[in-house]
Amino acid sequence: EDPVIKNVIVLQTVLQEVRNRSAPVYKRIRDVIQNPEKHFYSFTNEHHRETYIEQGRGESSNDRNDRAIRVAVKWYNEHLKKIEDEEKIQVIFLTNDRTNKEKALEEGITAYTCEEYIKSLTANPDLVDRLACVSDEGVCRGKKKNHALKSSLECRACYTCILFCYTALVWIIIQGLKHLNRAVHEDIVAVELLAKDEWVAPSSVVLQDDGQNEDDIENEEEKENILKTSVNKDMLRPTGKVVGIIKRNWRPFCGMLSKSQIKEARRHLFTPADRRIPRIRIETRQADTLEGQRIIVAIDGWPRNSRYPNGHFVKSLGSAGDKETETEVLLLEHDVPHQPFSQAVLSFLPKMPWSITEQDMKYREDLRHLYVCSVDPPGCTDIDDALHCREYIKNLEIKIHTYKLLSSNLCSLRSNVDRLAFSCIWEMNHKAEILKTRFTKSIINSKASLTYAEAQMRIDSATMNDDITTSLRGLNKLAKILKKRRIDNGALTLSSPEVRFHMDSETHDPIDLQTKELKETNSMVEEFMLLANVSVAQKIYEEFPEFALLRKHPAPPPSNYDILVKAAKSKNLEIKTDSAKALAESLDKAGSPTFPYLNTLLRILATRCMMQAVYFCSGMDNDFHHYGLASPIYTHFTSPIRRYADIIVHRLLAVAIGADSTYPELTDKHKLADMCKNLNYRHKMAQYAQRASVAFHTQLFFKNKGVVNEDAYILFVRKNAVVVLIPKYGLEGTVFFEEKGKPTLRLDYNNEVPSLTVEDTTLHVFDKVKVNIMLDASNIQHQKIRMVLVEPKVSYKVCDS
């Protein structure tokens, strides 16, 4: 990928093997091939008359592929000799396969290993740092190794698992470096169960991040002992050890160099930003330059006798702490694609200035005369949907319009410009009962782009009675009926603290941090978006029962509610969890006149008990129910600008109403199921990236604030810490009661109440406390918000991870 490397031919044989071994690496190679400045080319040697070869009798497929590569190299050499040119062109064969290289040299082919070739480029010595650490073990054929592993596992009782480090949902606990056996987060591994007397339980101890980077094996053993000695014997879980790696899922990792203390040393440790990834040993001559930089490193292998895997430097991203650099790290670590679109993709953009044509008018309903408006958060540019309500022969006609072209301009339903839309139109009576539903491709002209506050002001105004305001009042009245009906059916009203940053117009640094204030108009828009999604789901499933893209929310297992039930019981409240309706009714009744925030805390806790909603193909599942919305069927239709799932649903709906032709790939339920799997992965990673971004901007906000004192509520208690929520900022943090080098405090943890007694002070879930908040920047890679308990007063010092 380095700009120095140009004029490369990648054979089809090689591309196929790379594709089988690693999809991410295959994509990177394809991206390089598509870059015209690199002059990388793929050659379909398997379909060329003079380079295709048959597999010989007794010849393995690997040996056949090696021979095919050598045949193609020889053919290219002969082919280029025929070209009349002043400069003779020599083909160089690069391979790290020792046997293949030896055979190539015997056949008169100029062959080098990657290391030999890169070291010959004396004008670019820095390239040597980017060489993978390849040993003879590292270039063994994957198929041979897996075959040997499979044979070994057949003689033992093992399970194939995907390794998730430190996740909340654990099927088999693997504790300690020894039992991890060089496995890395998200590797597919073979696990052998330990004897039952060796099983352990999930610990209630929160391990502190002390920010140390030194090679401290004793520290690791100490942490393992803390977890083992703190087990709850009644909660033992299946425990195992990794006995084989079936498939590595290594990727390039972002992080920082931990420079060796040895002068002139070339071997250094790299500390990944993701704490679940082990440190990686690399060789580099640029340690002085790279220190303090965010860099990318790739793992090359993990020798049997090494505490750390070996890897190589890939590239530098910039200075640690720099906003642009940290944003790049955030996107890369959460696998959020953010590369610029290629010219090939951009060529499909409509030419500006764009306008609606007569051809567009032929297939769309003209709704530009209606008083449509949008209601969104302040500063919103990607306006996905707009609404309208009008009296219609004693009933009401409600329209939801969504759009799908391009983000903040043509794709956005901005006011006072013509826009293409996809409209969901209901005829309702005044009881919000649907009498008729239809869908149409349309053209609209929004008459106003309102914020939630502006829409609320119109609804509440005693003097405003224009068409837009009248429409909003009609929508709001119906929305209240729809919401009550939904809640009566068992829909949950949960809570999750969402924050809004106010940014400096010049530096774009956060200057204020607040929890989002919700108004009636938020609920108004939400109700009609939910109704549109349900209506569209019914339509596409009715038309395509085998390949409708739907969304479901599984009911949580009963054990998920334990923390909620115990917390409520500690306040003499009963939470019933046998159904969504029972839970909703219990939450509605749970409260205290002297503690109004208690109900919000219970709803926040209830949110933590929920399962993740997922996309699925209707032909591959029979459970469609959405637990949180109490809806038998649901999909996503209303946000086509920011969700690809909505684009697919738009396509299905267009075919269902005869407004478009069939997309062949959408009529294959297996392909659609694979697409849903990717959508779920992308949605999950986007959520993680969003949380990481909020955490980063929160750190920026507190950077120059010094110590801030705020009210907080205890959400969870652990054996050595409490987790608190600060309502003003929507901020959570952990207050620890054990710290290295500090006097040991007497701690008494009660899991049933739940509570934690620190010396003579007892802390319960939902207790109101005061904390000091400050930024700890001692570890530049893992900066964190520290929290210190101020009231009730306990003599100790605490920190947050």
Side-chain angles (χ1 to χ4, degrees), residues 80 115 273 300 399 432 452 492 565 642 713 745 762:
L80 292 177
E115 183 177 3
D300 302 320
K399 293 184 173 72
Y452 291 117
L492 296 172
V565 172
R642 59 188 179 88
Y713 292 94
L745 294 170
T762 301

Side-chain angles (χ1 to χ4, degrees), residues 150-191:
K150 185 179 178 183
S151 300
S152 170
L153 297 180
E154 284 172 352
C155 304
R156 310 163 76 168
C158 296
Y159 299 85
T160 300
C161 313
I162 299 177
L163 180 70
F164 292 103
C165 298
Y166 316 126
T167 129
L169 196 61
V170 179
W171 293 274
I172 299 176
I173 297 175
I174 300 170
Q175 195 174 80
L177 293 173
K178 179 183 175 183
H179 286 163
L180 277 173
N181 194 13
R182 296 175 293 153
V184 175
H185 176 62
E186 291 192 337
D187 281 352
I188 298 176
V189 298
V191 172

Side-chain angles (χ1 to χ4, degrees), residues 136-148:
D136 287 343
E137 179 188 357
V139 298
C140 285
R141 294 295 187 183
K143 291 179 182 177
K144 290 180 181 177
K145 290 166 72 178
N146 277 346
H147 177 72

Side-chain angles (χ1 to χ4, degrees), residues 506-746:
E506 292 184 5
T507 66
H508 301 291
D509 287 336
I511 54 176
D512 196 11
L513 173 60
Q514 300 172 336
T515 51
K516 291 182 181 178
E517 182 185 354
L518 299 180
K519 300 182 180 295
E520 262 188 12
T521 44
N522 290 78
S523 179
M524 175 191 79
V525 172
E526 181 186 21
E527 287 306 315
F528 283 106
M529 297 305 107
L530 293 175
L531 187 61
N533 289 335
V534 169
S535 298
V536 171
Q538 291 168 340
K539 179 65 177 178
I540 61 174
Y541 178 62
E542 175 187 302
E543 191 72 24
F544 308 115
E546 285 295 300
F547 41 87
L549 192 157
L550 302 176
R551 187 164 175 82
K552 68 175 181 177
H553 182 212
S559 59
N560 277 30
Y561 289 120
D562 288 349
I563 183 67
L564 173 64
V565 172
K566 286 179 182 179
K569 189 177 179 181
S570 71
K571 296 297 180 185
N572 299 314
L573 298 170
E574 183 183 12
I575 298 293
K576 295 180 179 179
T577 61
D578 44 312
S579 69
K581 186 173 176 61
L583 175 61
E585 290 174 349
S586 297
L587 289 171
D588 286 342
K589 294 174 185 174
S592 167
T594 59
F595 187 4
Y597 198 65
L598 176 61
N599 189 266
T600 300
L601 290 170
L602 284 166
R603 293 182 190 276
I604 290 172
L605 217 53
T607 305
R608 309 296 170 86
C609 302
M610 295 297 120
M611 304 291 284
Q612 179 68 53
V614 291
Y615 298 106
F616 68 101
C617 171
S618 59
M620 303 291 282
D621 208 325
N622 52 21
D623 178 16
F624 293 8
H625 189 72
H626 196 293
Y627 179 81
L629 298 175
S631 176
I633 193 168
Y634 192 68
T635 194
H636 273 160
F637 163 76
T638 53
S639 295
I641 290 178
R642 59 188 179 88
R643 286 190 307 233
Y644 186 66
D646 301 53
I647 297 286
I648 302 302
V649 170
H650 274 230
R651 291 173 181 172
L652 288 168
L653 182 61
V655 177
I657 65 171
D660 204 346
S661 57
T662 304
Y663 290 79
E665 66 272 19
L666 297 184
T667 58
D668 183 329
K669 65 181 182 181
H670 296 285
K671 285 186 179 178
L672 190 59
D674 287 341
M675 185 186 294
C676 289
K677 185 178 178 181
N678 187 52
L679 287 171
N680 291 328
Y681 169 74
R682 291 295 173 196
H683 179 77
K684 178 181 71 174
M685 298 312 289
Q687 283 186 317
Y688 291 164
Q690 181 184 20
R691 292 170 194 168
S693 179
V694 169
F696 173 62
H697 282 85
T698 301
Q699 291 167 11
L700 288 179
F701 174 72
F702 283 104
K703 187 174 182 179
N704 299 312
K705 297 288 182 187
V707 178
V708 179
N709 182 270
E710 287 294 343
D711 290 338
Y713 292 94
I714 296 175
L715 271 185
F716 305 99
V717 294
R718 301 289 187 244
K719 289 192 174 182
N720 62 333
V722 293
V723 179
V724 300
L725 170 70
I726 301 168
K728 180 177 179 180
Y729 300 125
L731 178 65
E732 276 185 42
T734 306
V735 177
F736 286 97
F737 299 99
E738 290 178 340
E739 190 171 358
K740 227 175 185 178
K742 300 293 180 182
T744 302
L745 294 170
R746 179 168 45 86

